[in-house]
Amino acid sequence: MMITEIVFAALVIIILTGALLAVGLKNVFYNALALILCLFGVAALFIYLNSEFLAIMEVIVYIGAISIAIIFAIMLSRPMTQKTEPENRGKVIRSAVLSALFFGVLAKVIASTAWPIASEQGDYSIKGIGKMLLSTQALPFEVISLILLIAIIGALVLSSPEDNAS
Amino acid sequence: MTLTGNFILDQTLTIILYGTIVVLFVSVNALFLVWAERKISARIQLRQGPLHVGFQGALQTIADAIKLISKELIWPRESDKFVFWLAPILVFAPVLSAFIIIPLSQHFVIRDLNVGFLFVFSLTNISFIGIFIAGWSSNSKYALLGSMRAVAQNISYEIPLLLSTMGIVMAAGSLRLTDIVAYQNKYWFICTQFPAFLIFITAALAEANRAPFDIPEAESELVAGFHTEYSGMRFALFFLGEYTAIFISSAIGASLFLGGWHGPFLPGPVWLLLKTYLLVFIVMWIRWTFPRLRSDQLMALAWKVLIPFAMFNILVTAILIYYQKFFI
C-alpha cells in the first residue's frame, strides 16, 4: 500500500537528516540534539516494523541515558556562547578512516546474518528477548552486566574524595 | 484507491478527534487542578484560598489563564532562540501522547500497546531533554542549575519507578494496561504490592518535580528553576505539562494498583477518574505537608532506600509466584 511507503520514506529522511546534522553542525550542543532526532527516528522505524519493545528500549537507553549523558558532558565542559574551534584536518581524516572501518565491520556482520521474519503481525519481542536473555544468551548477558559493574566501581573510585592525598 | 483514500481520511479524522478531546481535557484538567491545589493548600495550612472570582474562587484559574495568554513572550538576550522555542514543546508533547494508553474502560482505550505503560516512561525521557535545553538555552545560572538538578533527579527516580511496577508485571504476566486492570477483578494490586505502591507514589512525586522533591524549582534558592526566563504561554506550557504529568502518573497508578475501571454501580471511566483524582489529592496533600528535601538527601533516598526496597520486592514477588502460586 502507498501510505506505508510514504511513512517509511519520511522516517528515512528524518533519520538521515538527524545523522547529517549531528556530524555537520558547528555548535556541539546542536550536534547532540540532532543525534537525538536521529535516534528518535530509529525508534519510530522499530514501531513501523511492529517491534514496540525495541522502540521503547531505543528511547529509554539511547535517548534517556546516553544522549542525556552526552548533553551533561557538553554542559559541564563549556559555556553556551563560547566559539567553536576551527576544523582540524588531521582529526577529520582520522575519524573518517575509523568510521569507515567500523562501517565495514558492521556491514559485514549485517550481510552475513540470516534475518528470519519473526512474525507478520503483533509484537513477540518482549517474550522472545526475555527468554533468550535467561537461557541461550545468558553468558553474554552476564558479561555485559559485569562490564557495567566495573564501570560503576571505576566511576566511584575516580570520583571519591582522596583521603590519603591530604 | 478510494478504499485507501477512505482509510486515510478515516484515520486522520480519528486522530484529530482524539487529539482535540485530549487537548480539551488537558486544559480543563489543569484549570481544575490549579484551583484544587490552591484550595487544598489553603485548607491544610489554614490560610485563605481564592474566594472572590466566581463561586469559592472557581473562576480564578480561568482569569489566570487569560492573563497568561495575553502576556508578552519575552526572549532573553543572548539566549539560543531556536532551542529556547523548542523546549516547552518538548516538555509538553510527550505528556500529551501518554493519553494514548490510558484504559478508560474495558474497550475504551485509544491504542492498546503491547508495551503498555513503558511507553509513557520512555516518552518522559524526551521531557527531560526539554527541561535540560530549557535551562541551557535561557543562558541564566538559575535556569541552568535548576535544569541540571531536575535531570539528575529524574534519571535517579526513574529506576525505582520502573522497578516498583515490575512485581505487578510479573504477577499479571503482561505489560498491557488493559490486561493488568482486567487481572484485578478479584482484588487490587495495592493489597499484594503495597510496598511497591509506596515506592511508586514517591518516585512519581519526584518525577513530577513536586515538593518535597522540588529542588529543581526551589523558589528560595533558584527563583523558579529551569523556567525562570519563560513568560506568558511558553511558561503556561511548562505548567500545563506539570499538572498533566501529575494526572497521568496518578491515572497509571490507579490502573496499576487501584483496579483501574473496576468498581460497582458506576461506569468504568467514572471509577478511573475518581481513583485518579484521589491519588492527585494525595500528591497535593504530601506537597503541602512535608518540607523540601536537600539535594543529597534526595539522591540518598532514591539510591539507598527506594531502589533496594524495590529490588527486594521483586525478589519476594518472584519467590512467591514460583513456589506457592500465591498470586495466581
Side-chain angles (χ1 to χ4, degrees), chain B residues 135 140-150 215-216 221-222 225-226:
Chain B
S140 139
K141 63 182 170 195
Y142 297 119
L144 191 62
L145 281 172
S147 70
M148 290 180 80
R149 282 181 178 189
I215 56 159
E221 309 163 22
L222 292 179
F226 59 86

Side-chain angles (χ1 to χ4, degrees), chain A residues 1 3 27 29-30 33 36 40 52-53 56-57 59-60 63-64 68 71-72 75-76 80-81 123 126, chain B residues 4 8 78 80 83 113-115 118-119 122 125-126 128-129 132-133 136 139 144 148 151 155 175:
Chain A
M1 214 160 64
I3 189 159
N27 187 334
F29 193 78
Y30 280 7
L33 291 183
I36 291 169
F40 195 72
E52 291 157 6
F53 182 68
I56 297 297
M57 283 304 134
V59 174
I60 290 183
I63 297 182
I68 286 191
I71 296 183
F72 239 113
M75 225 152 78
L76 290 174
M80 186 180 98
T81 45
D123 179 21
I126 303 179
Chain B
T4 320
I8 294 171
E78 301 278 311
D80 195 315
V83 179
L113 290 180
N114 207 353
V115 285
L118 277 185
F119 176 71
S122 79
N125 284 308
I126 295 165
F128 302 163
I129 288 170
F132 220 121
I133 66 177
W136 182 80
N139 206 11
L144 191 62
M148 290 180 80
V151 174
I155 291 175
L175 279 167

Side-chain angles (χ1 to χ4, degrees), chain B residues 88-152:
Chain B
I89 301 169
L90 276 187
V91 171
F92 185 61
V95 179
L96 207 58
S97 53
F99 278 89
I100 290 175
I101 57 131
I102 304 283
L104 282 178
S105 70
Q106 203 156 7
H107 304 293
F108 193 66
V109 49
I110 299 178
R111 279 274 188 285
D112 194 11
L113 290 180
N114 207 353
V115 285
F117 58 88
L118 277 185
F119 176 71
V120 177
F121 293 154
S122 79
L123 281 176
T124 48
N125 284 308
I126 295 165
S127 290
F128 302 163
I129 288 170
I131 291 177
F132 220 121
I133 66 177
W136 182 80
S137 63
S138 301
N139 206 11
S140 139
K141 63 182 170 195
Y142 297 119
L144 191 62
L145 281 172
S147 70
M148 290 180 80
R149 282 181 178 189
V151 174

